[in-house]
Amino acid sequence: MKKIFVLFLTTILPIVGFSQSKFAKFDFLIGNWQGVETGVSGDGIGYRTYNYELGENYIVEKNQSTFPKTDKKPKGEVHKDIGIFSYNSNKNELIYRSFNIENFTNIFVLNESESTDAKYVFITREIENNPGNWKARVIIEKISDTEFKEFFDIAMDGENFQPFLQNHWYKVK
């Protein structure tokens, strides 16, 4: 019985330990954020939350961005999206799925070769309801535990990324 218990501990504990640390570099995101945004819709403000969910197996992001009235959009624009970070142990990949009010679902994969300890580069593997051969990229640049910048770029031709939205986020209580 003792051998079975030791075998159990040596097989299960590394898995449990890994499960708890897979998002360690993203712990700083957990909480509430306010930000200023600049992009194709103009200058706006944003509110965002990040929380661990389902036994800390996922990080869930909820976002709302508001942009002022323009000639093209006399009512202004309110953008909402929900994001889910998960870990695919079969492929050893960190995945970020972004579900947008415009009915796009972006499935991003963390590009380890372009990422650093303070910069995380996610590139789409797939865009559901894609109007063409688009690709998207999200870059998160950690400035501190209470501040980060985010860049959202689109390659409408599938190759050449162009800035679409830049955000500067500040953690709030």
Side-chain angles (χ1 to χ4, degrees):
M1 183 66 166
K2 193 175 187 179
K3 288 181 183 179
I4 293 172
F5 181 71
V6 170
L7 180 63
F8 172 79
L9 287 178
T10 58
T11 3
I12 297 302
L13 284 182
I15 294 169
V16 170
F18 177 76
S19 173
Q20 293 173 347
S21 67
K22 64 188 166 200
F23 297 120
K25 59 185 156 194
F26 296 103
D27 280 344
F28 77 98
L29 291 173
I30 303 304
N32 301 313
W33 297 82
Q34 284 181 279
V36 291
E37 309 185 56
T38 302
V40 297
S41 294
D43 295 335
I45 57 172
Y47 301 94
R48 182 178 287 183
T49 62
Y50 292 92
N51 293 299
Y52 280 112
E53 295 290 341
L54 300 174
E56 296 191 3
N57 287 304
Y58 304 94
I59 295 175
V60 176
E61 165 199 272
K62 292 183 181 177
N63 180 75
Q64 179 172 313
S65 302
T66 305
F67 297 93
K69 300 174 185 178
T70 64
D71 291 340
K72 290 183 180 179
K73 295 184 180 180
K75 293 183 179 181
E77 180 181 348
V78 176
H79 170 85
K80 293 181 180 183
D81 60 84
I82 297 172
I84 300 174
F85 291 84
S86 62
Y87 183 77
N88 182 339
S89 60
N90 294 332
K91 294 186 175 185
N92 195 27
E93 294 176 329
L94 189 71
I95 308 297
Y96 169 54
R97 291 173 179 85
S98 175
F99 303 88
N100 296 272
I101 197 167
E102 299 87 0
N103 198 32
F104 292 113
T105 301
N106 298 310
I107 303 169
F108 295 94
V109 178
L110 180 66
N111 184 315
E112 295 282 357
S113 65
E114 291 185 32
S115 297
T116 67
D117 289 340
K119 177 180 165 185
Y120 310 105
V121 179
F122 292 87
I123 298 175
T124 49
R125 171 185 291 158
E126 178 182 356
I127 301 175
E128 293 177 12
N129 306 313
N130 190 342
N133 188 30
W134 294 15
K135 282 189 175 182
R137 174 176 62 193
V138 169
I139 300 171
I140 297 171
E141 289 183 358
K142 179 181 177 183
I143 297 169
S144 71
D145 284 343
T146 59
E147 182 181 2
F148 73 94
K149 290 185 179 181
E150 178 185 44
F151 304 88
F152 179 67
D153 305 324
I154 294 179
M156 291 185 185
D157 62 1
E159 295 179 23
N160 300 297
F161 287 105
Q162 300 296 319
F164 191 82
L165 184 65
Q166 297 179 6
N167 305 318
H168 197 150
W169 295 100
Y170 303 91
K171 193 171 252 186
V172 296
K173 302 257 178 205

